[in-house]
Amino acid sequence: MSLRVFILAGEPSGDRLGGALMAGLRELRPDVTFEGIGGPLMAEQGLTSRFDMSELSVMGLAEVLPKYRHLKRRIRETADAVIESRPDVMITIDSPDFSLRVAALVKEACNVRTVHYVAPSVWAWRPKRAQKMAKVIDHVLALLPFEPPYMEAAGMECDFVGHPVVAEPQASAAEIAAFRAAYDLEDAPFVLALPGSRRSEVSRLAPVFGAALRQFQQTHAEYRIVVPAAAPVADLVRAELSEWSDTALVIDPNTLEPEVAKAHKRAAFAEAELALAASGTVSLELAAARTPMVIAYKFQWLTWQIMRRMALIDTVTLVNLVSDTRVVPERLGPDCTPDKIARALKKVKADPTAQAAAMATTMDRLGEGGEAPGLRAARAVLARLPHS
């Protein structure tokens, strides 16, 4: 009998995970068939999406409310499709507001096995989410090595399968040379500025980053500033850049062929001497490129007040968490000021090797050099399936 998988993702990061997992399943079980919801990378692996994944890529209360009824219909429609088809396994990828609601409806009606890819960060805040999730999820695929005990304690099976960042290619010498030539950088040293991938982030962080980098350049005038912009915010980044520095430049993926844009981003990460980045998984991309960093993030006042009271950890940077160090400086909330960020950048510049061991440890613990995470995830799914 063929293996029937219902798989769903709600945003581009989930589409990447889903595409890699589907490729792994196809390699291990050539008889696998897929149904569900996904994006272009999952389509390449044989999925015909039931509807456009972008309908689910909604974040924030103000954005969700106008679409609530439509999203609720999509949740019901998706659950009904699973209940009707009775696959061997349903795999939901991140997007918990959608995924776990679908899983709850499915479990009410039948006992389809449920797997969720990307553990909730219960180690950081709201630990009771794991117990709630355990009511509808049988098996979790975790990206971080310290997550399985949290999931298992709540009653779910859990496997650490590695983080997809370890499978991303690093820049070649030819890509680096082409990048420097394309932007007339010659041998100039430069700082990466990464103010986020959402418009709200860029609006809050770009002015602060710009002021901090101007202060940094006062004592390090030889340094250029390079901003590899995310496609959805490239126009906003370009507008902000005019306020930053005469020597700053933006890598706008909307003006480049997709493969060229990826190569330029890889080269920028590889060649930067240090980086100033918004909090998020970008710290792992920088660690993979072995680029020392400062992490900064400015929250809305109320969000910061809630977070600092509910947080269970003393650092938000994944490099610090995975390596069990605190070597990457953070400037968060009220500390996200130009003066404090500039001082942190100068300190990292003065000792660029201080983060090297932590970055190497992080990549090792995330699975660098081992089997690709998508294939590991596929093995974990199959290993725990009855009669697989």
Side-chain angles (χ1 to χ4, degrees):
M1 288 181 61
S2 66
L3 175 67
R4 295 179 302 114
V5 175
F6 195 104
I7 187 167
L8 63 92
E11 53 191 344
S13 59
D15 183 45
R16 288 193 295 274
L17 290 172
L21 171 56
M22 290 170 69
L25 287 169
R26 290 178 66 190
E27 180 176 336
L28 299 173
R29 284 290 300 265
D31 61 339
V32 67
T33 59
F34 298 107
E35 185 181 358
I37 302 148
L41 298 177
M42 292 167 72
E44 288 177 9
Q45 299 301 323
L47 180 71
T48 300
S49 187
R50 297 184 67 88
F51 53 84
D52 194 317
M53 183 188 73
S54 64
E55 291 185 29
L56 307 180
S57 300
V58 182
M59 294 191 64
L61 186 62
E63 290 80 12
V64 169
L65 282 176
K67 300 182 178 180
Y68 175 74
R69 289 185 179 178
H70 178 71
L71 289 171
K72 194 172 180 180
R73 282 197 301 272
R74 287 303 197 193
I75 289 167
R76 180 77 260 180
E77 173 189 328
T78 304
D80 287 344
V82 178
I83 294 163
E84 182 180 350
S85 64
R86 300 290 175 104
D88 296 298
V89 61
M90 179 180 78
I91 303 173
T92 55
I93 305 172
D94 210 0
S95 302
D97 290 339
F98 183 82
S99 296
L100 300 184
R101 284 176 169 81
V102 171
L105 291 172
V106 169
K107 283 295 192 182
E108 283 179 7
C110 60
N111 197 31
V112 168
R113 182 168 175 79
T114 52
V115 177
H116 189 68
Y117 197 172
V118 183
S121 52
V122 297
W123 38 268
W125 70 308
R126 291 174 57 200
K128 291 183 179 178
R129 283 179 293 167
Q131 284 80 4
K132 185 177 179 181
M133 183 173 162
K135 296 176 182 178
V136 299
I137 295 296
D138 301 308
H139 180 198
V140 179
L141 305 175
L143 303 186
L144 304 175
F146 52 78
E147 292 178 320
Y150 293 94
M151 302 297 104
E152 291 163 352
M156 293 172 283
E157 299 168 345
C158 186
D159 291 296
F160 165 61
V161 297
H163 197 287
V165 71
V166 303
E168 293 293 324
Q170 295 300 308
S172 67
E175 287 174 339
I176 289 170
F179 163 73
R180 283 192 171 275
Y183 295 96
D184 296 322
L185 282 167
E186 298 180 344
D187 295 326
F190 61 88
V191 184
L192 277 189
L194 300 154
S197 57
R198 300 188 185 106
R199 298 188 77 83
S200 58
E201 288 178 328
V202 173
S203 296
R204 284 199 305 273
L205 293 176
V208 181
F209 278 27
L213 289 163
R214 283 195 298 274
Q215 287 192 32
F216 176 81
Q217 285 183 312
Q218 287 173 6
T219 53
H220 298 87
E222 73 278 17
Y223 276 75
R224 300 284 301 276
I225 298 166
V226 174
V227 190
V233 296
D235 60 332
L236 183 57
V237 168
R238 193 180 290 281
E240 291 284 352
L241 214 62
S242 62
E243 303 294 324
W244 285 25
S245 167
D246 294 337
T247 61
L249 63 91
V250 62
I251 303 172
D252 184 349
N254 298 309
T255 65
L256 302 167
E257 291 296 321
E259 291 307 312
V260 174
K262 290 176 186 176
H264 283 186
K265 180 183 174 181
R266 284 196 294 268
F269 274 58
E271 281 290 274
E273 296 207 7
L274 69 160
L276 170 59
S279 175
T281 55
V282 71
S283 70
L284 298 181
E285 295 181 68
L286 291 166
R290 304 307 194 264
T291 302
M293 69 197 84
V294 172
I295 299 298
Y297 206 82
K298 185 178 182 182
F299 300 89
Q300 299 283 5
W301 182 87
L302 182 60
T303 301
W304 172 252
Q305 297 302 318
I306 294 170
M307 284 188 61
R308 72 185 185 89
R309 286 170 172 80
M310 295 181 65
L312 304 175
I313 51 177
D314 64 350
T315 178
V316 301
T317 301
L318 288 170
V319 173
N320 287 341
L321 287 163
V322 176
S323 66
D324 196 24
T325 68
R326 298 297 182 265
V327 296
V328 175
E330 297 174 330
R331 298 295 180 264
L332 309 175
D335 289 331
C336 185
T337 65
D339 288 350
K340 291 183 177 181
I341 293 171
R343 286 199 294 270
L345 286 168
K346 291 172 185 177
K347 185 175 180 180
V348 172
K349 165 66 176 65
D351 188 6
T353 63
Q355 298 177 23
M359 290 191 289
T361 297
T362 296
M363 289 299 105
D364 180 64
R365 290 179 178 174
L366 293 181
E368 187 176 66
E371 193 170 59
L375 187 56
R376 287 179 65 174
R379 288 193 196 282
V381 170
L382 295 176
R384 294 186 185 268
L385 270 183
H387 316 300
S388 65

